[in-house]
C-alpha cells in the first residue's frame, strides 16, 4: 500500500497513529488512569514482541502504545489483543483516555477516589466523537499531579475545613502544615483566611485535637484548558461539587460542545468564540 493512499483519519479512529516510516503505525491501547491489570500487561508485552519491535511506549497521558506495527498487521494485532480484554485506544476527534492519579485509595493526600471516577467516565464517554479531541483529567487533591487546569475537563478533589475553636489548644500544627499561609493561630486559636485556602485538607490531617474537621469534600471542576502549540489554563467552573453535579455538568458539557463547537475547534477555543458565560448558564441549569 502506498503511503499516500493511507486514510490517516480512519487509522486514528481505530487507535492507530501513522509513523514517519512508510506503512508503519503505532498502536494505541486502552488504559484508564494509568492502571492496567498484570494479565493485560502480559498480553500487551506479547503483542509488542510479535507485532512491534519488542517494547512499548508510555505516553505523556498515561497511555500505552506499541510502535512499529506493520500497517497490514495492525487490524490483526488489535483483534488479537481485544480477545484478551485489551481494547484499542482513542485518537483523532474523540474523547481521549482519562488520566488520573491514584487518589485516596493509595495517596495519603488524596481526597477522592480518582480511579472510580475515571472508570465511570471511561465507560460512558471515552471514544465518543466530538468536534476535536477532548481530554479529561482527575486528580485527588490541589497538588494537581495530573494537571486538571491544563485539560479540556479537569476534576480535582477538594475539602473545606471547619474550625471547632473549643478544641483548639494553639499548638500551631495546622499553621505549619498550611503551604498557602491561610491559617494563623492568634491567642491560641486558629483562624482560616478562605481567600488563601486552596481546600487541600493538610490542616485537617495535621490537627491532633479534632479542632479542624471536614465540613465538605467534593469535586472542583476546571474547563477549557489545553497544552500544545497554543496552551491555556482552564477556568474554574464549580467548587466542591458532589458526584451527581459532576456527572451532570460533564454530560451537559458534551451536549454543548457537540451543539456549538465547530469542526476542529477545541473546547477552550469555543469559549473564546462564544463567551464563557453562555456555556456556564447552559451547563449549570
Amino acid at each position: 500500500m502506498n503511503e499516500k493512499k493511507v486514510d490517516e483519519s480512519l487509522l486514528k479512529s481505530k487507535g492507530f497513529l501513522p509513523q514517519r516510516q512508510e506503512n508503519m503505525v503505532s498502536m494505541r491501547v486502552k488504559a484508564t488512569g494509568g492502571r492496567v491489570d498484570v494479565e493485560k500487561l502480559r498480553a500487551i508485552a506479547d503483542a509488542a514482541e510479535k507485532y512491534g519491535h519488542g517494547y512499548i511506549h508510555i505516553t505523556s497521558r498515561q497511555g500505552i502504545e506499541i510502535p512499529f506495527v506493520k500497517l497490514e498487521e495492525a487490524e490483526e494485532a488489535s483483534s488479537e489483543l481485544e480477545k484478551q480484554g485489551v481494547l484499542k485506544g482513542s485518537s483523532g476527534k474523540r474523547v481521549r483516555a482519562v488520566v488520573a492519579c491514584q487518589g485516596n485509595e493509595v495517596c495519603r493526600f488524596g481526597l477522592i477516589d480518582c480511579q472510580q471516577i475515571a472508570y465511570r467516565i471511561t465507560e460512558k464517554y471515552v471514544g465518543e466523537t466530538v468536534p476535536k479531541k477532548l481530554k479529561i483529567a482527575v486528580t485527588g487533591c490541589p497538588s494537581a499531579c495530573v494537571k486538571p487546569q491544563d485539560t479540556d475537563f479537569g476534576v480535582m478533589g477538594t475539602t473545606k475545613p471547619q474550625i471547632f475553636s473549643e478544641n483548639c489548644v494553639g499548638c500551631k500544627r495546622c499553621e505549619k502544615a498550611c503551604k498557602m499561609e491561610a491559617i494563623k493561630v492568634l491567642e491560641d486559636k486558629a483562624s482560616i483566611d478562605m481567600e488563601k485556602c486552596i481546600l487541600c485538607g493538610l490542616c485537617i490531617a495535621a490537627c491532633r485535637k479534632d479542632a479542624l474537621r471536614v465540613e465538605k469534600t467534593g469535586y472542583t471542576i476546571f474547563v477549557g484548558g489545553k497544552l500544545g502549540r497554543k496552551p491555556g489554563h482552564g477556568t474554574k467552573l464549580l467548587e466542591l461539587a458532589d458526584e451527581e453535579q459532576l456527572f451532570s455538568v460533564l454530560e451537559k458539557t458534551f451536549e454543548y460542545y457537540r451543539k456549538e463547537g465547530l469542526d476542529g475547534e477545541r473546547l477552550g477555543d469555543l469559549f473564546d468564540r462564544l463567551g464563557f458565560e453562555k456555556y456556564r448558564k447552559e451547563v449549570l441549569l
Side-chain angles (χ1 to χ4, degrees), residues 247-264:
F247 281 93
S248 172
V249 167
L250 184 56
E251 178 66 28
K252 290 177 181 177
T253 296
F254 280 111
E255 292 173 1
Y256 182 82
Y257 189 27
R258 289 183 176 123
K259 179 179 69 173
E260 302 288 358
L262 303 176
D263 184 46

Side-chain angles (χ1 to χ4, degrees), residues 12-234:
K12 288 181 178 180
S13 72
K14 296 181 177 181
F16 304 127
L17 304 178
Q19 292 187 193
R20 64 190 307 157
Q21 295 86 2
E22 185 174 356
N23 293 332
M24 286 285 184
V25 295
S26 188
M27 185 171 70
R28 183 170 289 175
V29 299
K30 191 174 183 179
T32 299
R35 185 169 178 166
V36 184
D37 295 340
V38 292
E39 292 83 1
K40 292 179 180 178
L41 278 176
R42 292 189 183 98
I44 293 168
D46 290 342
E49 285 187 337
K50 182 176 180 179
Y51 296 102
H53 278 187
Y55 74 93
I56 63 168
H57 172 65
I58 306 297
T59 74
S60 60
R61 300 192 70 251
Q62 303 176 331
I64 296 176
E65 292 174 2
I66 302 175
F68 291 99
V69 177
K70 294 177 182 178
L71 183 60
E72 63 268 24
E73 294 181 342
E75 295 282 4
E76 177 186 331
S78 180
S79 177
E80 189 171 306
L81 280 172
E82 283 192 18
K83 291 175 183 177
Q84 299 179 73
V86 181
L87 305 180
K88 62 177 179 289
S90 60
S91 189
K93 296 176 182 179
R94 296 177 182 275
V95 180
R96 301 296 182 83
V98 181
V99 300
C101 69
Q102 299 203 69
N104 62 10
E105 183 182 12
V106 174
C107 180
R108 62 194 179 98
F109 300 116
L111 301 170
I112 60 171
D113 188 341
C114 298
Q115 294 292 318
Q116 182 263 140
I117 293 295
Y119 272 93
R120 276 194 64 186
I121 294 173
T122 296
E123 287 300 306
K124 188 167 185 180
Y125 297 110
V126 169
E128 291 290 306
T129 302
V130 284
K132 184 66 173 174
K133 60 185 175 185
L134 189 141
K135 299 178 179 180
I136 300 173
V138 186
T139 200
C141 74
S143 293
C145 295
V146 296
K147 307 178 183 70
Q149 302 97 326
D150 296 331
T151 193
D152 297 281
F153 194 96
V155 182
M156 175 191 289
T158 44
T159 193
K160 185 178 180 180
Q162 184 176 12
I163 295 178
F164 289 80
S165 297
E166 63 273 20
N167 293 342
C168 185
V169 296
C171 68
K172 295 191 176 183
R173 287 179 62 90
C174 58
E175 185 177 298
K176 293 174 184 176
C178 182
K179 299 180 184 300
M180 306 307 294
E181 298 183 351
I183 295 187
K184 296 295 180 184
V185 177
L186 301 172
E187 298 180 358
D188 291 333
K189 297 297 177 184
S191 63
I192 303 175
D193 182 347
M194 294 309 298
E195 293 295 319
K196 292 182 179 180
C197 179
I198 59 170
L199 309 177
C200 67
L202 290 181
C203 59
I204 301 170
C207 183
R208 296 291 182 268
K209 299 297 181 179
D210 203 28
L212 281 162
R213 305 175 196 171
V214 174
E215 180 178 330
K216 182 181 182 182
T217 295
Y219 308 92
T220 293
I221 301 170
F222 300 90
V223 288
K226 63 176 180 176
L227 295 174
R229 294 182 180 88
K230 296 180 180 180
H233 260 333

